[in-house]
Amino acid sequence: MIVDVSKKILIVGLGLLGGSYARILKRFGFYISAITKEQSSIDYALDEGMIDEGTTELDHRMIGDADLVIFALYPHVFVEWVEQNQQLFKSGAIVTDVTGVKRSIVYKIQEILREDVEFIAAHPMAGREVSGVENSNDKMFSGANYIVTPTDKNTPEAIHTCLELGRLLGFSNVTILSPEEHDEMIGFLSQLTHCIAVTLMTCNDKENMEKFTGDSFRDLTRIARINDVMWSELFIENKDVLLNQMDMFMEKFKELKAMLEAEDIEGMRKMMRHSTERRALFDKK
């Protein structure tokens, strides 16, 4: 469906991700509308030519016209929105999202959603340490990963639409995982890394350290500039997986600490060689 530019796309939540979606999809010629909280975000998007129309209100016509609705909201806000307003969707509409957790969202929404509207979940693995539509850009997804998380309630057509959306947006790697596989993977690759960055940034409050730091510390703590509202919610929604990943990390850290205490140089070097080999796999090609 998505390749048909006569289809109308509604973006609910016009921030960094929603705005980047709008910029790219508008370039292909789609009719883009947006609903978001701040009028300043709508004004900016209109001035930039990112959207065709937008509002801060619950516009029944705008929602009812949309063939594809993309939600870029916090998980709990997304669920509440669908619970309260799903009657406004067009029959046959496809709904997707950008939320960073899936098990607690996908099944809940598919359970409450009307049978003539389909929710196919997705997660763009891209972001920045800033927020807001004014920081969106049309190169944000280049080299990034995009994960679609279907269930047995999804049709092949909706899955294809969501995969094609990821390709149109410019993601380098578009893949499919179950919601469970997604949350396990994201618990390690994203949530644990944010936990480590926050811990590293707050474990030593000695003054003036920023005057002496090198790039290694900046690289490790880049994601410590964090949206506390969003990330605390994501942590709670994936609590069981994240706790397991934190335990795994702490055990490995204890191993390294024990090697240092014992001055086990060969053990440390072996761990470092393993780290170097593993890290090479993650370099963007």
Side-chain angles (χ1 to χ4, degrees):
M1 182 194 79
I2 193 66
V3 293
D4 183 354
V5 296
S6 69
K7 301 295 184 181
K8 292 185 176 181
I9 299 176
L10 168 64
I11 297 173
V12 183
L14 198 63
L16 177 66
L17 285 176
S20 297
Y21 272 48
R23 285 186 188 275
I24 298 168
L25 295 172
K26 191 72 185 74
R27 193 176 64 206
F28 283 100
F30 290 102
Y31 189 93
I32 308 294
S33 58
I35 297 175
T36 201
K37 289 193 304 182
E38 303 294 335
Q39 183 61 43
S40 58
S41 298
I42 297 295
D43 294 341
Y44 177 87
L46 287 170
D47 289 343
E48 289 287 306
M50 298 162 52
I51 61 174
D52 294 282
E53 61 175 336
T55 181
T56 60
E57 305 295 329
L58 196 67
D59 190 301
H60 293 203
R61 177 199 54 79
M62 197 177 293
I63 299 167
D65 283 348
D67 300 289
L68 176 68
V69 186
I70 301 167
F71 282 89
L73 303 174
Y74 292 166
H76 77 280
V77 178
F78 177 28
V79 173
E80 291 172 2
W81 199 104
V82 173
E83 284 178 326
Q84 296 169 10
N85 305 304
Q86 63 169 297
Q87 75 279 2
L88 302 178
F89 291 136
K90 172 195 288 190
S91 180
I94 292 177
V95 174
T96 190
D97 70 329
V98 304
T99 51
V101 288
K102 293 307 178 198
R103 290 175 301 162
S104 61
I105 299 298
V106 175
Y107 301 113
K108 188 178 296 182
I109 289 182
Q110 288 186 338
E111 180 67 27
I112 64 176
L113 195 59
R114 292 163 30 199
E115 290 188 2
D116 62 336
V117 176
E118 185 169 353
F119 172 52
I120 174 68
H123 184 191
M125 293 290 291
R128 299 172 64 192
E129 289 67 61
V130 291
S131 60
V133 66
E134 66 276 7
N135 291 303
S136 63
N137 69 78
D138 59 3
K139 302 291 190 297
M140 185 172 170
F141 307 130
S142 176
N145 299 315
Y146 178 87
I147 305 171
V148 179
T149 60
T151 72
D152 57 7
K153 288 192 174 183
N154 286 121
T155 62
E157 293 76 16
I159 296 171
H160 173 77
T161 293
C162 204
L163 291 170
E164 188 63 20
L165 175 63
R167 297 185 185 106
L168 284 179
L169 289 167
F171 287 92
S172 298
N173 189 38
V174 177
T175 55
I176 291 178
L177 292 175
S178 70
E180 290 75 17
E181 290 170 327
H182 169 276
D183 284 3
E184 182 178 6
M185 198 74 67
I186 222 68
F188 177 72
L189 293 173
S190 180
Q191 294 179 343
L192 177 63
T193 56
H194 281 78
C195 288
I196 293 169
V198 168
T199 304
L200 184 58
M201 199 70 250
T202 58
C203 70
N204 187 337
D205 287 335
K206 188 173 181 179
E207 294 183 0
N208 299 317
M209 294 183 73
E210 69 278 3
K211 297 179 181 178
F212 313 109
T213 189
D215 287 342
S216 59
F217 187 82
R218 292 190 188 95
D219 289 346
L220 274 172
T221 58
R222 177 182 61 83
I223 55 175
R225 294 178 60 184
I226 194 167
N227 180 332
D228 58 292
V229 176
M230 180 181 75
W231 281 97
S232 59
E233 180 175 352
L234 294 175
F235 288 175
I236 294 296
E237 294 288 350
N238 205 30
K239 175 182 174 182
D240 57 339
V241 168
L242 182 54
L243 286 174
N244 287 336
Q245 300 294 348
M246 293 172 83
D247 287 341
M248 179 180 66
F249 175 81
M250 288 189 287
E251 284 302 312
K252 186 59 66 172
F253 195 87
K254 287 177 184 177
E255 285 183 28
L256 181 59
K257 182 172 182 283
M259 291 177 198
L260 178 60
E261 289 173 337
E263 298 187 10
D264 180 3
I265 295 175
E266 183 50 42
M268 287 191 290
R269 290 185 62 188
K270 181 179 179 181
M271 187 174 179
M272 290 172 187
R273 289 194 297 270
H274 185 201
S275 168
T276 299
E277 292 171 1
R278 288 285 295 159
R279 181 61 181 82
L281 301 174
F282 290 78
D283 290 336
K284 290 183 178 180
K285 302 298 188 286

